[in-house]
Amino acid sequence: MSHLTLALDAMGGDHGPSITVPAALQALHSHPHLKIQLFGLEQELTPLLDKSLPATLTDRISIHHADDVVSMGDKPSFALRNRRQSSMRLALNAVADGHADACVSAGNTGALMSMAKFVLKTLPGIERPALIAALPTEVGKRVHMLDLGANINCDSETLFQFALMGHVLAQQVEQIERPKIALLNIGEEETKGNDQIKQTAQLLLDSDDIHFVGYIEGRDIFTGNVDVVVCDGFVGNVCLKTCEGLSQFIIKEFKRRFKPKGWLKFLLPFVLPTLSRMLKGMNPDQYNGASLLGLRGIVVKSHGNADLKAFQHAIDEAIVEMERQVPKRIKDQLEAALLDKHC
Amino acid sequence: MSHLTLALDAMGGDHGPSITVPAALQALHSHPHLKIQLFGLEQELTPLLDKSLPATLTDRISIHHADDVVSMGDKPSFALRNRRQSSMRLALNAVADGHADACVSAGNTGALMSMAKFVLKTLPGIERPALIAALPTEVGKRVHMLDLGANINCDSETLFQFALMGHVLAQQVEQIERPKIALLNIGEEETKGNDQIKQTAQLLLDSDDIHFVGYIEGRDIFTGNVDVVVCDGFVGNVCLKTCEGLSQFIIKEFKRRFKPKGWLKFLLPFVLPTLSRMLKGMNPDQYNGASLLGLRGIVVKSHGNADLKAFQHAIDEAIVEMERQVPKRIKDQLEAALLDKHC
């Protein structure tokens, strides 16, 4: 097996190199065919690569100095114009130049999206990349949802492309032959929804490639009955962030209700960690990274506040997408779908 | 104090009269100035009014026979055309004819919405009624959210009207002098959102009546920082149903994780009821009823599966709205806002 090379924005996220470097080393340890390029301030990164590390690891990790860092407060347009020497930008450049196969960053989402689109370009026929992430379900398996905020206004053609990209990702990452694709709507009946949704449903029904199972409502996202949920970026973003908000609320409310209740408060240490772990999955980019699909390269976004384990998950996600050549497969499927349409 | 009269669709909901009649009697017990008209099949309702009840109750409750019932599967258009003698329709007629001050139903939401609009008509300047409900927050107080599914496509004028209606409801029901009104968006920055959202923000900033606090994201709905959250019916519906779905998921996942864990499973009976009670609030029409605002009358929708307590909450909601004359106050505020605009 040939090597896979990952370009890592080592400065991104709230914790920067103190999380990204140990996570990188751990990934090299678990994946013998992986190489990692760390982008960031050399003087910060070098001390973190312990000289006592075995050569089998250090041979596969390299530091690529970047003078600048995209801050969390940078506007996408500002970052695009002014952060050309940042760790994020140089990591993306490495993918564009063919020196790396994927990029992982825990930095500013908007900036990453703009830079990725500018540097890597979208696949032929794709206007803007979409953000996809996986949520947990009642039956254990994950459900992939897109778009989570990259595209506010989506016509039916765009939503159809999201369905196709979600289809490919679920096929490759989850190894499901015919992933069940659903459109998020306000009811399951055919008559429900706005014009874009109805037109998208028709496009999906007409497609031979996609196993379209119809509309689902918000309450069905977590049942595990479907593999991919498609919606526009406004709805997806609000929906996901509401789940995060509700999770926070539940933890706080749970503490509030149990604390004053005499002996019941002694249950809290047994119950809260499980509840917290469960609800972490509701913050998918914290849990396993969110991917930007539709680009001519792989970009995985980890949560700014990701801990070691979460950042490792994001790296793992990038590795799976590299191994399965997700962008190439999306491109092939898009071409096939386009061909179908013209036949 | 003069009497308030409530028209009750006694046949609505999964449990029909076995829930609605006891809830009605309880409401009469708690509210000495309340009168209730029960609409439904006389032969089913009469036996439920125990002859041993005190005259102080039976004097204030009357049965109004309705031959027909709207079924949960009826399409709104079908119900509107064909269920003219249904308990739901006759209860709404009673409000339109001035024989009752409000209507409560646990029946088919779409049918109730269509019939209410047809029978009661909307207030001058309002195109369609909006569905509003209250969610719990981290600080104990409730947050009102609208629209929850009555209006899929909303322009900025409609969203502005929602804000105004939410403002009046929060003022009257929660007794907050200057309710904090927020627009649900995908970010807090001014530049975020689609055109409708940005135009609505401008309308709200220009309004002297409304205390507009800006955009909030999904994760901030439950913080208690705002009193009213405004969004279009598509986003609101998906958002709310996602909360319901997540609540269900949490209960099931919690059971699954604790069951096999030896002695920890003995904690379940102590923890689950609290968790379930907490999460019931995420299903607001089950918890305390959802109101249809913008009509020339008060209509409260209780969840189809509401239990006795939940149906009582819906009646209580209708009583508060009757006492505070919510439709009249919305009409006054709308007229004032219109006057402001033309000055």
Side-chain angles (χ1 to χ4, degrees):
Chain A
M1 194 182 178
S2 65
H3 273 104
L4 297 170
T5 305
L6 184 66
L8 207 67
D9 170 11
M11 310 306 289
D14 301 346
H15 313 296
S18 68
I19 289 290
T20 57
V21 176
L25 292 170
Q26 188 55 50
L28 291 175
H29 200 79
S30 320
H31 302 276
H33 299 286
L34 184 69
K35 286 185 176 179
I36 292 186
Q37 301 175 344
L38 296 174
F39 288 84
L41 294 168
E42 201 168 5
Q43 59 272 33
E44 283 198 33
L45 300 178
T46 310
L48 293 169
L49 292 186
D50 194 334
K51 286 195 177 55
S52 63
L53 285 170
T56 49
L57 290 192
T58 50
D59 284 357
R60 293 186 284 127
I61 192 162
S62 53
I63 293 174
H64 300 249
H65 181 64
D67 259 341
D68 203 4
V69 174
V70 173
S71 86
M72 287 309 219
D74 282 349
K75 284 197 175 172
S77 53
F78 176 87
L80 194 57
R81 272 196 313 273
N82 302 292
R83 304 289 194 195
R84 292 179 205 185
Q85 295 306 316
S86 64
S87 54
M88 184 188 282
R89 175 66 176 267
L90 296 186
L92 289 166
N93 286 352
V95 180
D97 298 341
H99 301 142
D101 304 297
C103 167
V104 174
S105 174
N108 179 326
T109 310
L112 183 66
M113 201 114 64
S114 297
M115 277 189 188
K117 195 192 161 198
F118 180 78
V119 171
L120 294 173
K121 310 283 183 257
T122 51
L123 290 168
I126 302 259
E127 278 294 310
R128 275 177 65 86
L131 204 57
I132 188 166
L135 290 165
T137 72
E138 287 168 14
V139 294
K141 68 175 185 174
R142 309 188 302 169
V143 57
H144 295 261
M145 188 162 164
L146 80 166
D147 173 37
L148 298 177
N151 306 274
I152 298 177
N153 297 306
C154 298
D155 59 15
S156 56
E157 187 56 42
T158 309
L159 289 171
F160 177 78
Q161 287 181 355
F162 291 173
L164 206 71
M165 298 200 290
H167 162 84
V168 173
L169 194 85
Q171 267 189 334
Q172 300 304 324
V173 173
E174 305 291 346
Q175 299 279 284
I176 304 167
E177 204 177 331
R178 292 192 77 219
K180 292 182 193 157
I181 315 285
L183 271 175
L184 190 58
N185 201 350
I186 59 166
E188 288 173 16
E189 307 85 352
E190 270 176 45
T191 52
K192 294 277 176 156
N194 54 30
D195 292 343
Q196 295 98 287
I197 299 274
K198 288 180 199 167
Q199 285 159 11
T200 310
Q202 198 50 55
L203 289 175
L204 290 169
L205 283 168
D206 292 345
S207 160
D208 295 333
D209 305 308
I210 291 176
H211 183 196
F212 177 52
V213 295
Y215 298 141
I216 61 162
E217 296 188 73
R219 64 165 72 97
D220 305 316
I221 295 174
F222 305 100
T223 57
N225 291 338
V226 303
D227 302 303
V228 179
V229 175
V230 177
C231 57
D232 70 50
F234 194 101
V235 170
N237 185 282
V238 166
C239 201
L240 194 73
K241 286 186 180 159
T242 302
C243 290
E244 284 181 44
L246 180 53
S247 304
Q248 289 298 322
F249 165 75
I250 288 168
I251 299 270
K252 287 186 188 165
E253 184 68 8
F254 206 78
K255 282 187 195 162
R256 197 183 65 81
R257 291 200 186 207
F258 272 85
K259 274 232 167 107
K261 280 197 182 169
W263 70 272
L264 276 177
K265 70 180 167 203
F266 297 110
L267 296 184
L268 268 182
F270 300 102
V271 176
L272 265 188
T274 303
L275 199 61
S276 300
R277 249 193 323 276
M278 263 170 61
L279 295 175
K280 244 187 178 169
M282 289 306 126
N283 201 337
D285 58 343
Q286 184 156 17
Y287 178 61
N288 51 20
S291 300
L292 267 70
L293 291 186
L295 294 166
R296 296 170 198 241
I298 295 160
V299 181
V300 175
K301 164 72 178 70
S302 175
H303 197 271
N305 195 22
D307 58 15
L308 188 62
K309 208 169 165 185
F311 199 76
Q312 279 169 5
H313 278 306
I315 293 178
D316 287 342
E317 178 73 30
I319 292 169
V320 175
E321 291 185 32
M322 286 192 280
E323 284 173 350
R324 309 277 158 76
Q325 299 180 289
V326 168
K328 184 187 171 305
R329 291 183 196 276
I330 290 177
K331 182 172 160 278
D332 294 347
Q333 286 270 2
L334 271 170
E335 278 169 7
L338 217 62
L339 212 65
D340 270 1
K341 222 185 252 177
H342 293 170
C343 285
Chain B
M1 192 179 178
S2 65
H3 274 104
L4 297 170
T5 305
L6 185 66
L8 207 66
D9 169 11
M11 309 305 288
D14 302 347
H15 313 296
S18 68
I19 288 289
T20 56
V21 176
L25 292 170
Q26 188 54 50
L28 292 175
H29 200 79
S30 320
H31 302 276
H33 299 286
L34 184 70
K35 286 184 175 179
I36 291 186
Q37 302 175 344
L38 296 174
F39 289 84
L41 294 167
E42 199 167 7
Q43 59 273 33
E44 283 197 34
L45 300 178
T46 311
L48 292 169
L49 293 185
D50 192 335
K51 286 196 175 56
S52 64
L53 286 171
T56 47
L57 290 192
T58 50
D59 283 357
R60 293 185 285 128
I61 192 161
S62 53
I63 293 173
H64 301 250
H65 181 65
D67 258 339
D68 203 5
V69 174
V70 174
S71 87
M72 284 311 218
D74 283 349
K75 283 198 176 174
S77 53
F78 176 88
L80 194 58
R81 273 195 313 272
N82 301 293
R83 304 289 193 195
R84 293 179 206 188
Q85 295 305 316
S86 63
S87 54
M88 185 188 281
R89 175 66 175 266
L90 297 186
L92 289 167
N93 287 352
V95 180
D97 298 341
H99 301 141
D101 305 297
C103 167
V104 174
S105 173
N108 179 327
T109 311
L112 184 66
M113 201 114 60
S114 295
M115 278 190 186
K117 193 192 163 195
F118 180 79
V119 172
L120 294 173
K121 311 282 183 255
T122 51
L123 290 168
I126 302 258
E127 277 295 308
R128 276 178 65 87
L131 204 57
I132 189 167
L135 290 164
T137 72
E138 288 168 15
V139 293
K141 68 175 185 175
R142 309 189 302 169
V143 57
H144 295 262
M145 190 162 161
L146 80 168
D147 173 36
L148 298 176
N151 306 274
I152 298 178
N153 297 309
C154 299
D155 59 15
S156 56
E157 187 57 43
T158 310
L159 288 170
F160 176 78
Q161 287 180 356
F162 291 172
L164 206 72
M165 296 200 292
H167 161 85
V168 172
L169 193 86
Q171 268 189 333
Q172 300 306 323
V173 172
E174 305 291 346
Q175 299 280 283
I176 304 167
E177 203 176 330
R178 293 192 76 218
K180 291 182 194 155
I181 314 287
L183 271 175
L184 191 57
N185 201 350
I186 60 165
E188 289 174 16
E189 307 84 353
E190 269 177 45
T191 52
K192 295 275 175 155
N194 54 29
D195 291 344
Q196 296 97 287
I197 299 273
K198 288 181 200 167
Q199 285 160 9
T200 310
Q202 199 50 56
L203 289 175
L204 289 168
L205 283 169
D206 291 346
S207 159
D208 295 333
D209 305 308
I210 291 176
H211 184 195
F212 177 51
V213 295
Y215 298 140
I216 61 162
E217 296 188 72
R219 66 166 71 98
D220 304 316
I221 295 174
F222 305 100
T223 57
N225 291 338
V226 304
D227 302 303
V228 178
V229 176
V230 176
C231 57
D232 69 50
F234 194 99
V235 170
N237 185 283
V238 166
C239 200
L240 194 72
K241 286 185 179 159
T242 302
C243 290
E244 283 181 45
L246 179 54
S247 305
Q248 289 299 321
F249 166 74
I250 288 169
I251 299 269
K252 286 185 187 163
E253 184 67 9
F254 205 78
K255 282 187 195 163
R256 196 183 66 83
R257 292 201 185 206
F258 272 85
K259 273 232 167 109
K261 282 198 179 169
W263 69 273
L264 276 178
K265 72 180 166 203
F266 297 111
L267 296 184
L268 269 181
F270 299 102
V271 176
L272 265 188
T274 302
L275 199 61
S276 301
R277 248 195 322 277
M278 260 170 64
L279 295 174
K280 246 189 177 167
M282 289 306 126
N283 200 337
D285 58 343
Q286 183 157 17
Y287 178 62
N288 50 21
S291 299
L292 267 69
L293 290 188
L295 295 165
R296 295 169 200 242
I298 295 160
V299 180
V300 175
K301 163 73 178 69
S302 175
H303 196 271
N305 194 23
D307 60 14
L308 187 62
K309 207 167 166 186
F311 199 76
Q312 278 170 4
H313 278 305
I315 294 177
D316 286 342
E317 178 71 31
I319 291 169
V320 175
E321 291 185 30
M322 287 193 279
E323 285 173 348
R324 309 276 157 78
Q325 301 182 289
V326 168
K328 185 187 170 304
R329 289 182 198 275
I330 290 177
K331 181 171 160 280
D332 294 346
Q333 285 270 1
L334 272 171
E335 278 169 6
L338 217 62
L339 212 63
D340 270 359
K341 223 186 250 176
H342 293 172
C343 285

